[in-house]
Amino acid sequence: MQGADLPATPKKPVADIYHGVKVVDNYRWLEDFSDPAVRTWANAENRFARAYLDALPARPALYEELKRLRSYPSPRYRSLVYRGGVLFALKQQPPKEQLFLVTLASPDDTSSERVVVDPNQLDAKGTTAIDFNVPSTDGKLVAVSLSKGGSESGDVHVFEVATGRALADVIPRVNGGTAGGSVAWNADSSGFYYTRYPRGTERAAPDMGFYQQVYFHRLGTQTEQDTYALGKDFPRIAEVALDASEDGRWILATMANGDGGEFAHYLLGPGGEWRQIARLADQVTHAEFGLDGHLYLLSKQNAPRGKILRMALESGDLAKAELVAPESKGVIESFLPAATVLYVSDLVGGPSQVRAFDLAGHERGRVPVEEISSVGEMVRREGNELLFESQSYLTPPAWYRFDPASRKVTPTALRYKAAADYSDVQVVREFATSKDGTKVPLNIISRKGTKLDGNNPTVLYGYGGFNVSLTPGFSVRLRPLLDHGFVYVIANLRGGGEFGEEWHHTGNLTHKQNVFDDFAAAARYLIDHKYTNPARLAIEGGSNGGLLMGAVLTQHPELFRAVVSYVGLYDMLRVELHPNGAFNVTEFGTVKEPDQFRALYGYSPYHHVMDGTQYPAVLFLTGDNDPRVDPANSRKMTARLQASETKQPVLLRTSSSSGHGIGTALSEQIAEDADVFAFLFEQLGVK
């Protein structure tokens, strides 16, 4: 790689011993961002990347096209909640930088829309975002968490729904990038329970992002007077989510033990006492309040694809819960109890199906949804009426109404009208064979008539972890790629949740290498079946998918021409020392356990860069305010690759006004996409 304009990156070796294995870290010094030398180095790297990206000939036209597509003023409505006779929704309205909160009298009448809270008005820079919002039981108030610069560090504010006026109540440190945050209102809307991180000197500095507990705030009082409710006995890496029954008489607290998929559940009833209703060992992963005095539970116990149980609230006895939806071939992703119908949304390897049951457990047919589509949200309105959002790779997201009496699905007025038409595009679902024989689904998106001549510029995307499923989703950002002959491929790798807990567990902890093998098999499939060749194949992923990029980059450098890696993990021996990394231990493992250390060290990208190897061109992207993956990972991996004598460019693009990607302003998203696409065009030889 040309190094004349790169900053000097001295080696400062530090040695650690793990279970008798000596590991030398030459770039440990780049972890300390408070060190002026590190900041100087990072700024120099960013200037180098900026100079390279700004000089790419395709970037100006790509930027204008992406701006046109993503600034198209068609709204999209997300996170619908029905309270007090009105719908609350987060509205995305380009060219506004951030989503804002609105109410609607009906999903069929957008003229009834009223703005309640608009971060774009609160912050002219467009860097303030809504983390979450929860309407009160009567729908007259709403609690809103607001954070800045992609930090996800959110304080909760309370607003009057009718006027948008902010009350004096402000609760600090409710939301965070480690354990998230949550609120649940009480029955008379006089206050709410909320998740609370330590404040002041309650914990030592390294523990301020841990030990999440539940407190109660009564409106009109100082937050210092808030009362403790639950959580003193929770683990350090507890992540708490709160929910309330529709009448507010019951409060549910779901405690996740880090990010590995273990949950315990606690219930607060009218008597005022919290009681534990499910332990970690019970494998209950989610719960929803019904309208019939019952709690509905998603259990994975002896059912890795999920089953639904029904438990009386007054009883709170899991042993007496009734089975209402047994395990099936699909993986239960979500469910929603209505008045007399239980709706169950399943994944079938990625695409969705929705089944309807009566409350006695008899299946009553399916909700008609588009083939190879996803159902992202389900909302009950009145009676058994279901509102659901659906989209596919080719169809923009829209909200639909389902009437179980007529069995008809009707589109509502809440539809996103894209600036791009995908009628000339096709999706083919094929399967690669991994190293151990596992069949790995590939969703291959291309223009109709694309020739399989082995020469198409192609991007392969993957994630593979945390039980996260990659479901069909519409992306207007793909249009410029497709227009220039690209094939875009999304792989459903192990570690995700597409085929249930077994699929997840065969791709986490000491089995993580399976994920990388799956991805390499996907790349080989595309090459062998003449979609592309290594000189025209790029790979893309972020966060845990950034780890995937680093692993396959170092294990199979000959398979790819270019790598785009967002906010990734690369030094797997140090991840657990960062705040959110401690939460990830239940997914990745810990260096404290010999077998887990061996697995981590066996694939850790930072430790497998080999001097003299010619690696693909790499674009690393990170944000200064990332609370989930420390940007030190990207700095160290960049330095190590640049020192390897690879001839292809290794770039580190750092944003000072964003974090892990959540809450990033629209204009910054457009600029980032323009950089990425211009890089791909350059590396894959696209004019």
Side-chain angles (χ1 to χ4, degrees):
M1 172 172 182
Q2 296 175 349
D5 298 321
L6 284 170
T9 313
K11 296 180 180 179
K12 301 179 182 180
V14 177
D16 297 301
I17 305 295
Y18 300 92
H19 308 287
V21 178
K22 181 180 179 180
V23 180
V24 177
D25 185 352
N26 287 320
Y27 302 106
R28 178 79 53 86
W29 67 277
L30 287 174
E31 292 182 7
D32 184 7
F33 202 52
S34 66
D35 184 344
V38 176
R39 289 180 177 272
T40 298
W41 181 90
N43 289 336
E45 284 283 351
N46 202 44
R47 286 194 299 271
F48 178 81
R50 230 358 331 124
Y52 179 96
L53 295 167
D54 289 340
L56 294 175
R59 191 184 186 283
L62 283 167
Y63 176 81
E64 291 302 323
E65 177 65 0
L66 286 162
K67 183 178 179 181
R68 181 188 72 82
L69 290 168
R70 300 199 63 184
S71 299
Y72 187 70
S74 175
R76 181 180 177 186
Y77 296 85
R78 306 169 183 262
S79 304
L80 266 63
V81 177
Y82 189 62
R83 284 286 186 280
V86 298
L87 280 171
F88 291 78
L90 289 177
K91 182 180 181 182
Q92 182 179 5
Q93 178 71 73
K96 286 194 172 188
E97 298 281 14
Q98 299 287 350
L99 280 69
F100 52 102
L101 180 63
V102 301
T103 59
L104 297 146
S106 164
D108 302 308
D109 181 14
T110 55
S111 67
S112 66
E113 180 183 303
R114 293 185 59 263
V115 177
V116 182
V117 181
D118 187 352
N120 302 283
Q121 297 296 321
L122 301 175
D123 177 5
K125 294 181 179 179
T127 62
T128 296
I130 294 176
D131 305 306
F132 65 83
N133 71 95
V134 183
S136 61
T137 309
D138 59 13
K140 295 180 180 179
L141 300 169
V142 62
V144 181
S145 176
L146 298 169
S147 63
K148 289 181 177 291
S151 67
E152 302 178 56
S153 180
D155 300 341
V156 163
H157 304 251
V158 181
F159 296 87
E160 287 182 344
V161 173
T163 65
R165 181 180 71 89
L167 304 188
D169 304 74
V170 179
I171 316 299
R173 293 180 56 75
V174 175
N175 195 73
T178 51
S182 193
V183 160
W185 288 84
N186 65 358
D188 62 4
S189 301
S190 63
F192 50 80
Y193 293 87
Y194 66 92
T195 53
R196 180 184 183 276
Y197 289 91
R199 300 179 188 172
T201 59
E202 292 174 353
R203 295 278 183 180
D207 287 331
M208 294 300 283
F210 299 87
Y211 294 108
Q212 194 180 64
Q213 297 179 13
V214 180
Y215 274 67
F216 179 77
H217 174 74
R218 188 165 297 281
L219 295 179
T221 64
Q222 296 297 313
T223 185
E224 292 77 14
Q225 298 175 300
D226 294 349
T227 54
Y228 164 81
L230 185 69
K232 287 181 179 177
D233 298 326
F234 287 174
R236 182 173 184 260
I237 55 172
E239 304 176 56
V240 184
L242 301 171
D243 192 19
S245 60
E246 194 157 285
D247 59 10
R249 296 176 64 243
W250 300 85
I251 305 292
L252 177 71
T254 297
M255 188 278 292
N257 181 34
D259 296 330
E262 296 180 315
F263 302 88
H265 303 268
Y266 301 80
L267 192 63
L268 174 67
E273 296 292 329
W274 288 93
R275 52 180 168 161
Q276 186 171 3
I277 57 170
R279 306 161 299 160
L280 298 176
D282 292 321
Q283 297 181 263
V284 172
T285 61
H286 185 65
E288 292 279 351
F289 286 105
L291 301 176
D292 59 348
H294 288 77
L295 192 67
Y296 290 76
L297 310 161
L298 174 56
S299 171
K300 302 293 181 70
Q301 194 164 66
N302 301 317
R305 294 174 184 251
K307 60 186 177 183
I308 306 295
L309 307 176
R310 179 173 178 258
M311 182 186 75
L313 286 168
E314 293 290 351
S315 162
D317 188 347
L318 185 61
K320 297 180 180 178
E322 309 165 298
L323 178 67
V324 290
E327 185 181 32
S328 69
K329 292 182 179 180
V331 177
I332 297 177
E333 185 179 32
S334 63
F335 60 96
L336 182 70
T340 61
V341 176
L342 172 67
Y343 295 103
V344 178
S345 177
D346 304 315
L347 287 179
V348 187
S352 295
Q353 68 179 18
V354 180
R355 296 176 292 157
F357 293 79
D358 64 27
L359 299 187
H362 303 107
E363 189 168 346
R364 298 303 187 194
R366 296 184 182 179
V367 177
V369 298
E370 182 185 353
E371 190 176 358
I372 313 182
S373 66
S374 64
V375 173
E377 295 183 56
M378 298 191 298
V379 177
R380 66 180 174 225
R381 198 165 171 225
E382 294 177 341
N384 289 319
E385 183 180 272
L386 172 70
L387 295 177
F388 67 93
E389 187 192 45
S390 181
Q391 61 182 310
S392 73
Y393 292 117
L394 307 181
T395 306
W399 283 88
Y400 300 86
R401 175 190 292 102
F402 174 68
D403 177 5
S406 65
R407 309 209 60 76
K408 289 185 178 179
V409 168
T410 309
T412 72
L414 308 183
R415 285 172 284 173
Y416 171 62
K417 299 178 179 65
D421 175 39
Y422 277 34
S423 60
D424 64 334
V425 178
Q426 64 182 5
V427 180
V428 178
R429 190 165 165 87
E430 300 182 11
F431 292 83
T433 302
S434 194
K435 186 176 182 179
D436 63 358
T438 299
K439 298 296 183 181
V440 180
L442 305 180
N443 305 282
I444 304 173
I445 306 169
S446 64
R447 292 184 69 174
K448 296 174 182 176
T450 296
K451 294 181 180 179
L452 302 187
D453 58 3
N455 199 42
N456 298 300
T458 299
V459 179
L460 173 61
Y461 177 88
Y463 186 80
F466 293 93
N467 204 34
V468 172
S469 301
L470 300 186
T471 59
F474 185 84
S475 176
V476 74
R477 76 188 281 270
L478 296 187
R479 188 71 254 188
L481 297 181
L482 296 168
D483 286 341
H484 285 83
F486 275 77
V487 175
Y488 196 88
V489 184
I490 299 166
N492 296 122
L493 311 172
R494 279 178 285 186
E498 291 90 346
F499 294 101
E501 284 298 313
E502 183 179 357
W503 192 252
H504 171 214
H505 289 149
T506 53
N508 74 349
L509 296 173
T510 57
H511 305 293
K512 191 70 177 175
Q513 181 59 42
N514 286 333
V515 182
F516 315 137
D517 292 343
D518 289 357
F519 197 74
R524 292 192 182 98
Y525 182 94
L526 297 172
I527 295 166
D528 293 345
H529 287 76
K530 303 299 182 181
Y531 282 96
T532 190
N533 66 74
R536 306 211 81 190
L537 176 59
I539 57 175
E540 182 181 41
S543 191
N544 170 76
L547 164 62
L548 170 66
M549 297 299 101
V552 295
L553 159 70
T554 52
Q555 293 178 17
H556 305 284
E558 77 287 351
L559 280 180
F560 321 105
R561 169 66 188 191
V563 180
V564 177
S565 188
Y566 306 82
V567 295
L569 299 146
Y570 309 109
D571 183 348
M572 296 306 294
L573 304 187
R574 304 274 295 169
V575 162
E576 63 192 272
L577 301 179
H578 303 302
N580 199 53
F583 289 81
N584 297 161
V585 163
T586 49
E587 176 74 13
F588 294 135
T590 172
V591 297
K592 297 174 184 177
E593 297 291 333
D595 59 334
Q596 293 179 3
F597 160 71
R598 285 191 292 271
L600 289 163
Y601 191 39
Y603 67 75
S604 179
Y606 176 67
H607 299 95
H608 285 82
V609 178
M610 303 297 293
D611 291 339
T613 299
Q614 292 308 307
Y615 291 102
V618 185
L619 174 58
F620 292 114
L621 302 99
T622 189
D624 280 344
N625 305 320
D626 192 338
R628 296 176 182 248
V629 173
D630 195 308
N633 280 273
S634 295
R635 294 193 293 269
K636 292 174 66 175
M637 189 65 177
T638 298
R640 181 65 189 94
L641 275 171
Q642 289 175 348
S644 72
E645 302 174 16
T646 183
K647 294 179 181 178
Q648 298 300 330
V650 178
L651 308 174
L652 175 59
R653 181 193 188 275
T654 303
S655 166
S656 62
S657 58
S658 67
H660 201 63
I662 299 170
T664 301
L666 175 61
S667 58
E668 181 150 348
Q669 295 178 43
I670 294 168
E672 180 179 277
D673 279 348
D675 287 342
V676 168
F677 286 8
F679 175 78
L680 292 173
F681 274 46
E682 179 74 9
Q683 293 303 319
L684 301 186
V686 178
K687 303 299 183 183

